[in-house]
Amino acid sequence: MQMERLPVNGHDPEEDGEQYPKPPSQRKKIVVVGLGMVGIAFIEKLLKMDSKRREYDIVVIGEESHLAYNRVGLTSFFQHRKVENLYLNPRDWYANTPAGALNYHLNTMVTEIHTKEKLVSTSNGDTVPYDILILATGSDALLPRHTPGHDAKGVFVYRTIEDLQKLISYADTVKETTGAVVGGGLLGLEAAKAMMDLETFRQVKLIERNRWVLSRQLDADAGGMVVDLVRQLGLDVLLSKRVGKIEVDENNAVKGVVFEDGERMDCTCIMFAIGIRARDELARKAGIKCADRGGGIVIDGDLQTSEKDIYAIGECASWESETFGLIAPGIEMAEVLAFNLTQAKVHAPRKFKRPDLSTKLKLLGVEVASFGDFFADRDGPKSLPVRSHAAKKQANGTPGVQEQVKIITNGPTPPPVKALTYKDPFNSVYKKYLFTLDGKYLLGGMMIGDTKDYVKLVPMVKNQKPLEVPPSEFILGAAKDGEEGGDDLTDDTQICSCHNVTKGDVTKVVREGTCKSIGEVKSCTKAGTGCGGCMPLVQSIFNTQMKAMGNEVSNHLCPHFAHSRADLFNIISVKKIEDFQSVMKEAGKDPGSLGCEVCKPTIASILASLYNKHIMDKSLNGLQETNDKFLANIQRNGTFSVIPRVSAGEITPEKLIAMGTVAKKYNLYCKITGGQRIDLFGAKKQDLPDIWTELIAAGLESGHGYAKSLRTVKSCVGTTWCRFGIGDSVGMAVRLEERYKSIRSPHKIKGGVSGCVRECAEAQNKDFGLIATEKGFNVFVAGNGGSKPRHSELLAKDVPPDDVVPILDRYLMFYIRTADKLQRTARWMENLPGGINYLRQVILEDKLGICASLEDQMNALVGTFFCEWTAVLNDPKLRANFAQFANTTATLPVMENVEDRGQTRPAYWPHGKVTQDFRGTEWTSLAWQPMLETSYFVDKADLPNGASASLKRGDTMLALFYLKGKYYATQQMCPHKRAFVLADGLIGDTPTSALPLSDPKTGAAAGTSTSGSTSGLDTSSLYVSCPNHKRNFTLNGADAGKCSNDADVSIATFAVEAREDGWIYVKLPPVEELDAVLGTQKWMTKASETEDPFKKLDAKLKGMRSKKVVSGAGEMGRRVGGFEVKVGGEGGGGGIDW
């Protein structure tokens, strides 16, 4: 079996070879027939994927006179009447493609394909040669040519801009009459809205042959509800009606419709929206195989037609005897084909698979969605999950003889599906979810009115994983455990029927201080002393009242969890939970919550302490602080510091040279740390992988200086060199650092090993420290420096070297299990009941019987070590995260640098913060700008923290966030310290049902949903927490842009939307205006803004400095204050013994 060739460090090495990019004479010509949405999608993707190789030049031939436009958004044309507003790309986009890469022809029809000669002929007499031909001819709107009057004046279809322009012109000639739309599908409802938006017809009527509208997406109940809703909006809907003929006047203009049942209706204009037919006539003429039934050019999984080098994509293509009238399958075809033409040389080629036909639309103001196999209960499921054995068939998939007899006798077997239905006629909400018979798998469903769960349910169907909750929770929500709650009860509500006790009786005795415990409440009021059935409610009322009086002391992690960190550690460990969403679902207050900057890092740390997955793993990425997110320490100028591991401070000359070479190459500021390793400052995010590559090649690895984990184990040289050493401090320190490196903990951990009581390694102010004795080592724990230094305490004396590791294993794992969030070992020890004596009992005497468990857990954890830098370098997807901007390879400086003592460092921060009201900026105009392809977030859609990207627009940096189907955009700069870092901040939510979700003035929110809202987002205030100093800026609702914990600062927010063309658009002011307010050059910190803090001191020192005195040939002596000082016996004198 041949090994699949993989890219090296994220790219194909062939792309750097001499054969690429290809010269024009060696490029293949791709001719694309059709400049519609799918055609342009293919062109965009091919240009992007072929940008390095330049293997292809593209010629696209479009039949219409317009550039590619958004056919899905045709209805909006009635508001603005500007074709350019519908263009998927502006005209200059075509001109700005690489020379020769793209040529286009408009208003030109391809009339014939000459397959042998590889030519196409056009309507203007030209012939165009091709190497590869792509047919993206789309489809035509159906017109019932068998119906008398179909060719009358006033008969239209709803397909192109020309169709709409003709309708607009004609409508002006028949004002205040009745217009009709035939067809109650998606297109028909859109067409009806278009007619209503014209505001020229007195009345618009919708004619549908079925008993309800949207019959291809909805069942009778759902479709009937839509009918009721659109009728309330002014659309007259006629059901079960078929057009028999169209009546015309003497000018062959429409004057009415006669239905097949004989009824008649007056109207002057008819628009047919009864379906589409694939445009395959060009292929048929060329002898290319087309589907006999339903039409369409037959393709295989590679999008190849029956003719070599000819492909078909979009609505004109028939895959497995099926054509697709939705845009999403066409875009998927375009992406598969572009990938295979450009990447399949070094990657496994992709196959087009059955597309997801889920849809979520807003039709005439009505929210409608269908997803998955939404007619599985009617037609039987198209497929069943592998583990679902509800419907067993023979190997050939056909019923056996006995089963056939049963079908004849008893009728067809019901589909192996159960439906769960909710219908609320008061709020016009309908939901039907389809499950396997055992309720373990969701197959599909439909929604009317309330579609916010759509974005959650679609992945459940796609992934086909067993459900973790019973089906009823999809409609009713999870049953509340624990307290019943009494907040909604009035004081005169009886809560104990045995003794006629009211809620007011309980709150009164608590409020007055008569009762301070639940036992006292029972004694005073008799509540709960009868049958006891009221006690949960009594307890809840007591807790609520105590909390209202400020008497409740809680160790809850944050507003999202009613548990301490230690509680959560146990829950996660016992239940073996491995991702944040599952923790929130299992132990959080709101299962759909995003969490906050407190619980996310804490739970990520717990998960890492238990399982040690890569911190950038999809299930963990975005939970940790920015340092962990990019595996390096973020600095005040937005660059990062790189700290390779130098265990115990021991390093070879070769590694020192390698670090110096890297520092010189990337202009990094070097500093020896207090933990005996070298810190390389000033690394740009985009340079980090290359820096790591060179360091790893030299035998170095990540030092985890960015993590809440073991930092260093500091050591003196001990018996290795020192004449006073008693123990091999370096050897022990190396072993301890190598053992505990990378393990995550509630806070950072530092160790130290000293070779004697002189304590050169300062082991007694570390989280753990060893001092060598004649018999072994004294083990000290729970000390630290920092803002509140604490001397460590002696845990054990004269411990043999072989026993040191088991003791530290137990101590560290016990700390990891039981400490609070961000609690150093010093504070943990101070709060530990019994202090060091209790710890000795647990760790040394095994009082709790957990020592073996602690050791086993640590052994398992350290056995999972890997270098996180190396893992990134080996994963192109992870490596792709290290770029300054997601939408361009260009870069921007974020702070001026200055030269200081022979090295480069960032200019000092200016005093004060920027109090300019960015949130209230009044822009002169705003326009939608395509900023980033939606494909950027494809693999990030279900990240626990969502996903973010930094964007460049002119000289301005923007932050884009994607959270559970919604986009939000803000400025990138945090005004507190003018740091361009917001895209790297943690996202949190503040649960509150009272928050408005839109601006009361404009009705617009900062974030725009692409596929529906999600529980947890609808009733919460979302914010981004600046990674530098934790300023929290609101992303949504009326307070978007406000800082919740610093009223002096604010940020600008912008509306965002994802469109069908595969791009994310941000509504922005003109570039010049944007730069004038938010430009990087304007706000980046400059050296001239601050004064050198050492200016006066340097002047004073300069005046005190004496001249240098040369003593002898060795030039070693210096005269200080009239005395000549010589070094250690130099010059024959005694000197100073350094």
Side-chain angles (χ1 to χ4, degrees):
M1 180 177 176
Q2 186 176 358
M3 291 287 290
E4 181 186 347
R5 182 178 170 196
L6 297 175
V8 179
N9 292 337
H11 72 281
D12 173 22
E14 282 192 7
E15 292 179 346
D16 298 328
E18 294 181 0
Q19 69 270 43
Y20 298 110
K22 293 278 190 184
S25 60
Q26 296 181 21
R27 296 176 194 157
K28 291 183 177 181
K29 179 182 285 188
I30 294 180
V31 173
V32 181
V33 181
L35 188 53
M37 295 182 72
V38 174
I40 195 63
F42 168 76
I43 292 169
E44 290 171 348
K45 295 176 189 302
L46 188 83
L47 287 173
K48 182 177 180 180
M49 295 180 188
D50 191 42
S51 59
K52 286 187 177 181
R53 296 172 176 270
R54 289 293 282 112
E55 291 185 273
Y56 302 105
D57 287 336
I58 304 171
V59 175
V60 59
I61 304 171
E63 184 177 331
E64 294 188 59
S65 58
H66 307 292
L67 296 173
Y69 59 87
N70 182 6
R71 200 182 302 276
V72 177
L74 273 180
T75 308
S76 66
F77 182 74
F78 290 98
Q79 278 103 45
H80 51 72
R81 308 287 175 96
K82 295 179 181 178
V83 176
E84 293 76 13
N85 286 7
L86 291 175
Y87 281 175
L88 296 170
N89 294 302
R91 193 174 295 274
D92 58 4
W93 177 86
Y94 296 82
N96 292 333
T97 54
L102 176 63
N103 288 290
Y104 64 91
H105 303 272
L106 302 179
N107 212 20
T108 303
M109 178 184 288
V110 174
T111 56
E112 192 170 357
I113 302 171
H114 308 279
T115 56
K116 292 183 179 180
E117 296 82 5
K118 286 196 167 185
L119 297 170
V120 296
S121 299
T122 68
S123 55
N124 55 18
D126 293 333
T127 56
V128 182
Y130 67 84
D131 295 299
I132 296 173
L133 182 65
I134 313 297
L135 300 177
T137 49
S139 60
D140 280 330
L142 287 176
L143 191 64
R145 301 189 184 278
H146 61 279
T147 301
H150 72 272
D151 56 351
K153 296 176 184 178
V155 176
F156 301 95
V157 292
Y158 188 80
R159 189 67 183 161
T160 66
I161 289 176
E162 281 76 13
D163 293 332
L164 269 61
Q165 289 172 331
K166 291 176 182 177
L167 173 64
I168 292 170
S169 299
Y170 189 82
D172 287 337
T173 66
V174 290
K175 291 183 178 180
E176 294 301 313
T177 59
T178 298
V181 174
V182 181
L186 294 172
L187 197 63
L189 288 174
E190 281 289 320
K193 183 180 188 306
M195 268 198 174
M196 295 173 71
D197 287 344
L198 279 175
E199 297 182 351
T200 55
F201 294 101
R202 181 182 68 253
Q203 188 179 24
V204 176
K205 296 189 177 185
L206 180 74
I207 302 167
E208 167 58 32
R209 65 180 182 178
N210 292 305
R211 291 181 292 111
W212 65 88
V213 297
L214 299 177
S215 57
R216 297 189 66 177
Q217 288 79 27
L218 304 176
D219 62 13
D221 285 341
M225 183 173 285
V226 173
V227 170
D228 292 339
L229 288 171
V230 297
R231 280 174 174 166
Q232 294 172 22
L233 295 170
L235 179 64
D236 189 4
V237 182
L238 306 179
L239 300 173
S240 301
K241 292 290 186 183
R242 294 175 179 266
V243 175
K245 72 173 182 177
I246 300 170
E247 292 184 334
V248 298
D249 61 14
E250 62 276 7
N251 297 317
N252 196 34
V254 174
K255 69 174 184 178
V257 168
V258 177
F259 298 109
E260 289 184 354
D261 60 7
E263 288 190 20
R264 185 188 174 281
M265 180 188 80
D266 287 332
C267 65
T268 58
C269 179
I270 298 177
M271 181 178 288
F272 281 95
I274 56 176
I276 57 174
R277 180 176 178 82
R279 294 193 58 183
D280 59 9
E281 63 275 9
L282 185 63
R284 287 182 185 275
K285 186 177 178 182
I288 297 171
K289 185 178 180 180
C290 295
D292 294 329
R293 184 175 181 181
I297 307 166
V298 175
I299 59 170
D300 60 15
D302 297 321
L303 292 314
Q304 175 93 33
T305 68
S306 60
E307 190 69 34
K308 187 176 184 296
D309 293 329
I310 298 181
Y311 300 84
I313 55 177
E315 294 173 346
C316 69
S318 175
W319 176 81
E320 295 190 356
S321 302
E322 188 174 359
T323 57
F324 304 99
L326 298 175
I327 184 63
I331 300 297
E332 175 68 13
M333 290 179 183
E335 187 167 329
V336 169
L337 182 55
F339 181 92
N340 288 345
L341 290 176
T342 57
Q343 308 297 309
K345 299 175 182 64
V346 290
H347 297 267
R350 293 174 56 182
K351 293 284 186 181
F352 178 72
K353 300 176 182 178
R354 178 162 297 280
D356 177 22
L357 301 181
S358 302
T359 55
K360 178 180 176 294
L361 300 167
K362 192 169 186 177
L363 301 169
L364 288 163
V366 180
E367 295 280 357
V368 178
S370 58
F371 63 94
D373 195 354
F374 45 83
F375 279 143
D377 58 335
R378 185 190 72 182
D379 305 332
K382 295 176 182 176
S383 63
L384 285 171
V386 176
R387 294 186 182 180
S388 179
H389 303 290
K392 295 182 180 179
K393 293 184 178 180
Q394 293 185 354
N396 61 4
T398 59
V401 176
Q402 291 183 350
E403 189 174 347
Q404 291 180 5
V405 172
K406 286 183 179 179
I407 292 175
I408 295 172
T409 306
N410 303 323
T413 304
V417 172
K418 284 186 178 180
L420 189 62
T421 305
Y422 171 80
K423 187 174 183 180
D424 178 3
F426 303 101
N427 294 305
S428 300
V429 174
Y430 178 85
K431 298 180 182 181
K432 182 166 79 169
Y433 302 149
L434 305 176
F435 301 86
T436 53
L437 290 178
D438 56 8
K440 295 295 185 183
Y441 295 89
L442 177 66
L443 299 177
M446 55 190 68
M447 294 177 275
I448 305 295
D450 177 10
T451 61
K452 65 177 182 293
D453 289 335
Y454 175 87
V455 71
K456 289 193 302 185
L457 300 179
V458 171
M460 290 183 184
V461 174
K462 286 184 179 179
N463 297 336
Q464 288 294 279
K465 292 182 179 179
L467 301 177
E468 299 176 358
V469 297
S472 60
E473 287 194 13
F474 286 79
I475 300 292
L476 303 176
K480 293 184 178 180
D481 296 326
E483 299 176 358
E484 297 178 27
D487 293 345
D488 56 343
L489 304 179
T490 59
D491 281 350
D492 59 357
T493 302
Q494 185 189 72
I495 60 172
C496 174
S497 58
C498 295
H499 295 283
N500 193 25
V501 182
T502 65
K503 175 187 174 182
D505 295 331
V506 175
T507 57
K508 181 181 178 182
V509 295
V510 176
R511 190 167 52 245
E512 292 176 348
T514 307
C515 300
K516 296 182 179 180
S517 70
I518 193 65
E520 292 175 345
V521 170
K522 291 172 70 175
S523 298
C524 291
T525 65
K526 301 301 180 182
T529 59
C531 69
C534 63
M535 275 311 299
L537 182 56
V538 174
Q539 181 76 60
S540 174
I541 294 170
F542 171 77
N543 290 346
T544 301
Q545 188 61 43
M546 291 291 286
K547 184 176 180 180
M549 295 168 61
N551 293 331
E552 185 179 15
V553 178
S554 171
N555 64 346
H556 296 171
L557 180 65
C558 71
H560 299 95
F561 290 92
H563 301 282
S564 66
R565 181 200 171 275
D567 291 339
L568 285 171
F569 187 99
N570 291 327
I571 292 170
I572 295 169
S573 176
V574 170
K575 297 193 175 184
K576 295 181 171 55
I577 305 173
E578 295 190 18
D579 61 83
F580 179 83
Q581 297 99 317
S582 298
V583 177
M584 185 65 77
K585 186 182 297 183
E586 184 69 35
K589 294 180 180 178
D590 177 3
S593 174
L594 286 172
C596 64
E597 77 275 17
V598 175
C599 59
K600 282 181 172 178
T602 301
I603 290 173
S605 173
I606 293 172
L607 293 171
S609 296
L610 288 169
Y611 311 112
N612 199 31
K613 291 183 181 178
H614 197 293
I615 203 66
M616 294 180 70
D617 182 87
K618 191 171 184 179
S619 64
L620 302 174
N621 188 30
L623 293 179
Q624 285 282 30
E625 300 285 2
T626 303
N627 290 352
D628 285 274
K629 188 175 181 180
F630 295 108
L631 310 181
N633 287 56
I634 190 170
Q635 303 301 322
R636 61 185 179 86
N637 66 341
T639 63
F640 294 80
S641 66
V642 176
I643 310 177
R645 185 162 303 284
V646 181
S647 293
E650 185 181 70
I651 190 168
T652 64
E654 291 77 15
K655 291 180 180 178
L656 275 173
I657 291 170
M659 292 175 71
T661 302
V662 168
K664 193 170 184 179
K665 179 177 178 179
Y666 294 93
N667 193 28
L668 305 180
Y669 177 104
C670 300
K671 176 78 170 61
I672 307 297
T673 73
Q676 298 180 331
R677 50 187 182 177
I678 300 172
D679 205 337
L680 308 176
F681 291 84
K684 298 172 183 174
K685 185 197 301 182
Q686 58 268 30
D687 289 339
L688 287 173
D690 292 334
I691 291 171
W692 298 338
T693 299
E694 296 190 37
L695 293 174
I696 289 168
L700 293 156
E701 64 184 18
S702 167
H704 291 88
Y706 45 84
K708 294 289 187 286
S709 65
L710 177 77
R711 296 295 177 86
T712 63
V713 180
K714 188 176 181 179
S715 75
C716 64
V717 293
T719 54
T720 308
W721 290 97
C722 182
R723 66 183 187 271
F724 299 110
I726 297 175
D728 183 0
S729 54
V730 177
M732 177 60 77
V734 167
R735 286 164 174 79
L736 294 180
E737 184 161 345
E738 288 295 313
R739 178 167 182 78
Y740 302 121
K741 64 184 181 183
S742 89
I743 64 168
R744 257 60 176 200
S745 52
H747 211 292
K748 60 187 175 184
I749 302 172
K750 296 179 180 180
V753 182
S754 288
C756 69
V757 293
R758 285 175 173 80
E759 247 283 71
C760 296
E762 304 166 333
Q764 293 179 86
N765 72 347
K766 301 292 191 290
D767 297 284
F768 66 87
L770 276 63
I771 299 177
T773 69
E774 295 290 345
K775 298 179 181 179
F777 291 90
N778 290 341
V779 179
F780 296 83
V781 295
N784 69 257
S787 58
K788 191 178 179 182
R790 184 180 191 273
H791 214 61
S792 57
E793 297 184 58
L794 181 64
L795 178 65
K797 289 183 65 175
D798 298 326
V799 178
D802 288 349
D803 294 336
V804 167
V805 167
I807 289 175
L808 290 180
D809 280 358
R810 299 170 190 174
Y811 158 69
L812 290 174
M813 188 50 69
F814 189 56
Y815 160 67
I816 290 171
R817 283 186 180 183
T818 59
D820 205 350
K821 61 179 183 291
L822 295 177
Q823 190 175 47
R824 293 292 299 267
T825 57
R827 308 288 85 79
W828 170 71
M829 179 64 79
E830 290 169 356
N831 295 322
L832 190 67
I836 190 66
N837 291 327
Y838 176 74
L839 188 64
R840 289 194 188 108
Q841 292 173 340
V842 173
I843 301 303
L844 304 179
E845 302 169 14
D846 200 15
K847 178 180 180 179
L848 302 180
I850 62 172
C851 283
S853 170
L854 294 171
E855 289 182 44
D856 290 344
Q857 196 166 4
M858 181 61 78
N859 276 323
L861 184 58
V862 300
T864 62
F865 168 79
F866 59 94
C867 175
E868 292 175 337
W869 291 350
T870 303
V872 168
L873 299 180
N874 292 335
D875 189 334
K877 287 185 178 180
L878 293 182
R879 185 166 181 155
N881 292 317
F882 294 83
Q884 185 178 18
F885 301 112
N887 64 335
T888 177
T889 57
T891 60
L892 285 175
V894 294
M895 186 179 285
E896 279 189 359
N897 290 325
V898 297
E899 291 293 319
D900 197 0
R901 297 180 295 279
Q903 297 199 87
T904 300
R905 65 161 177 82
Y908 290 119
W909 257 333
H911 297 294
K913 50 196 171 186
V914 181
T915 57
Q916 179 175 329
D917 183 17
F918 293 108
R919 178 175 178 266
T921 303
E922 296 185 3
W923 309 102
T924 57
S925 64
L926 293 168
W928 291 104
Q929 302 293 337
M931 294 299 296
L932 186 65
E933 290 187 79
T934 53
S935 58
Y936 179 84
F937 292 107
V938 166
D939 293 327
K940 305 176 177 68
D942 56 349
L943 293 180
N945 191 37
S948 61
S950 177
L951 307 178
K952 179 180 181 292
R953 173 75 171 167
D955 187 49
T956 298
M957 299 189 196
L958 301 171
L960 179 68
F961 304 95
Y962 179 61
L963 308 168
K964 295 186 178 180
K966 289 188 176 183
Y967 291 96
Y968 306 87
T970 73
Q971 66 191 61
Q972 171 76 329
M973 182 191 71
C974 174
H976 176 238
K977 288 292 185 180
R978 289 157 54 182
F980 298 84
V981 294
L982 289 185
D984 297 332
L986 285 175
I987 304 299
D989 63 18
T990 305
T992 167
S993 59
L995 281 172
L997 291 180
S998 60
D999 189 302
K1001 295 180 180 178
T1002 64
T1008 302
S1009 172
T1010 63
S1011 57
S1013 56
T1014 304
S1015 176
L1017 292 181
D1018 296 330
T1019 59
S1020 63
S1021 172
L1022 299 176
Y1023 62 87
V1024 58
S1025 186
C1026 173
N1028 279 9
H1029 299 106
K1030 296 294 177 285
R1031 281 347 188 240
N1032 295 342
F1033 296 97
T1034 303
L1035 294 176
N1036 65 336
D1039 291 334
K1042 284 186 178 180
C1043 181
S1044 62
N1045 51 6
D1046 187 346
D1048 293 335
V1049 295
S1050 68
I1051 59 172
T1053 60
F1054 305 94
V1056 197
E1057 67 180 30
R1059 296 185 180 176
E1060 295 289 345
D1061 62 353
W1063 282 83
I1064 300 167
Y1065 287 71
V1066 183
K1067 202 168 189 179
L1068 296 169
V1071 173
E1072 298 79 7
E1073 185 179 1
L1074 185 66
D1075 288 346
V1077 177
L1078 294 171
T1080 306
Q1081 285 295 321
K1082 176 177 180 178
W1083 292 112
M1084 65 183 288
T1085 298
K1086 301 176 178 63
S1088 59
E1089 294 183 73
T1090 57
E1091 189 174 290
D1092 185 352
F1094 299 110
K1095 185 176 181 180
K1096 293 181 180 178
L1097 177 61
D1098 286 344
K1100 184 180 292 187
L1101 292 174
K1102 186 176 182 180
M1104 298 167 60
R1105 191 172 299 142
S1106 301
K1107 290 185 178 180
K1108 179 177 171 183
V1109 178
V1110 177
S1111 173
E1115 298 189 3
M1116 295 290 290
R1118 296 177 186 273
R1119 184 173 298 276
V1120 181
F1123 295 92
E1124 186 174 345
V1125 180
K1126 296 185 178 180
V1127 177
E1130 180 264 327
I1136 299 176
D1137 185 357
W1138 294 102

